Amino acid sequence: MSQFLVSAYNLKDKTFEVTGSDAFKLNRVLRKKPGDAVRLFDGKGRTLWGEISTLSDMSVRGRLMEAPPSFTPSYEHLGRGVLLYQSIPKGQRWDWVLEKGCELGVAAFYPMRSANSVVTIEKKDVPSKLERWKRIVATAAKQCNTPRIPEVAAPLSFEEAMVQCSKLKDVLKIFCWEAESATPLWRLFGSLQVYPKLAVLFIGPEGGWSQAEVETARRNGFLMAGLGPLVLRSDTAPLVAVSMLHALYGAYLIEPG
């Protein structure tokens, strides 16, 4: 069952309202009727169930239900939170990373400019780009039934990203590097003594990281990790790495969540 972003709800009065494109979809596309159940989410971690009372192309209203009409899946399998810092790939590849990364449980996306980046976004274009990126993850969140809409930040430089990460406490910092000397992620993970609840993942540009960036990452406490013997595309690497992280957390953690 698809879920829809609730525009407003009141737990005390047990009411909800869905507006905009989701209301139109419920009314015109799915042809919902009063009395139908609908799965809702607030984008911040709360999942709700409602029964439709009235609906139009602009607004769907109803009452919140005490319990879902069917089984609600658990999100424990997503493991820990992953913050993805990536040099923006060219073309539509960043859109793909946003959509599929959301489906894989990425908590936040931080597009970067690095030394070998091939994509440059003009300052005047940032607001429109950011709005579009947020729409992509919101749509993906509705489709995959995650209770949270991931954060998408404005583009920042590699140096700004390092400063930002230096302020994070109790995090696993992973710097994916295509060098032959980089320890495979699965082997690196198995050697850890503790497993922080938050993982920061850095993915480089099509041209790879510069040596200066690698050394900066090392000084800032990042662990160098490889993703296997083959060189992955810039839009494939983050999805492989995130999938590995969730699988590894599930394999090595005794307690979930």
Side-chain angles (χ1 to χ4, degrees):
M1 177 182 286
S2 298
Q3 65 178 356
F4 300 89
L5 186 62
V6 66
S7 305
Y9 65 93
N10 188 310
L11 294 177
K12 183 178 179 181
D13 296 338
K14 299 188 183 304
T15 59
F16 75 88
E17 181 179 19
V18 175
T19 61
S21 61
D22 277 5
F24 182 88
K25 183 176 181 179
L26 285 166
N27 188 40
R28 291 296 183 120
V29 180
L30 299 179
R31 301 291 184 181
K32 292 292 185 180
K33 303 295 182 184
D36 285 349
V38 60
R39 180 187 173 111
L40 310 166
F41 77 121
D42 66 358
K44 300 176 182 178
R46 185 186 292 273
T47 300
L48 303 160
W49 288 87
E51 180 181 297
I52 296 173
S53 300
T54 63
L55 70 169
S56 69
D57 291 353
M58 301 298 294
S59 173
V60 173
R61 297 183 180 184
R63 67 175 185 86
L64 294 175
M65 303 170 69
E66 294 292 341
S70 60
F71 172 69
T72 301
S74 167
Y75 299 95
E76 296 290 349
H77 68 285
L78 292 180
R80 274 28 181 182
V82 177
L83 307 184
L84 175 61
Y85 286 78
Q86 175 161 359
S87 295
I88 308 174
K90 60 186 177 182
Q92 301 299 310
R93 295 181 183 181
W94 179 237
D95 294 358
W96 169 266
V97 171
L98 291 171
E99 180 182 291
K100 301 309 173 187
C102 178
E103 292 180 25
L104 291 172
V106 171
F109 297 88
Y110 297 91
M112 286 187 305
R113 303 181 304 275
S114 56
N116 295 325
S117 291
V118 295
V119 174
T120 300
I121 297 177
E122 299 292 335
K123 189 174 181 179
K124 64 180 178 61
D125 296 327
V126 169
S128 60
K129 292 281 188 183
L130 194 54
E131 181 181 356
R132 182 170 177 275
W133 295 342
K134 289 182 177 181
R135 285 201 306 269
I136 290 173
V137 296
T139 300
K142 294 172 188 177
Q143 182 276 323
C144 68
N145 283 353
T146 176
R148 284 187 174 84
I149 297 177
E151 175 190 353
V152 184
L156 70 170
S157 68
F158 177 84
E159 292 74 19
E160 289 170 332
M162 282 289 150
V163 171
Q164 193 174 89
C165 290
S166 68
K167 300 175 182 177
L168 299 174
K169 306 298 181 183
D170 300 321
V171 298
L172 175 61
K173 298 179 181 180
I174 298 175
F175 196 85
C176 290
W177 190 29
E178 68 277 10
E180 292 182 9
S181 58
T183 303
L185 179 56
W186 53 90
R187 188 176 301 161
L188 181 153
F189 203 90
S191 67
L192 297 176
Q193 300 301 311
V194 295
Y195 299 93
K197 290 187 176 182
L198 194 64
V200 172
L201 182 65
F202 268 57
I203 302 291
E206 286 89 343
W209 298 112
S210 70
Q211 191 60 41
E213 288 169 336
V214 172
E215 296 307 320
T216 298
R218 281 202 177 104
R219 289 196 303 271
N220 280 273
F222 278 80
L223 302 176
M224 301 293 120
L227 298 177
L230 302 179
V231 177
L232 302 178
R233 285 188 4 166
S234 58
D235 55 333
T236 305
L239 306 184
V240 170
V242 171
S243 298
M244 282 186 185
L245 277 176
H246 288 320
L248 289 166
Y249 267 124
Y252 282 93
L253 290 178
I254 298 175
E255 297 180 354

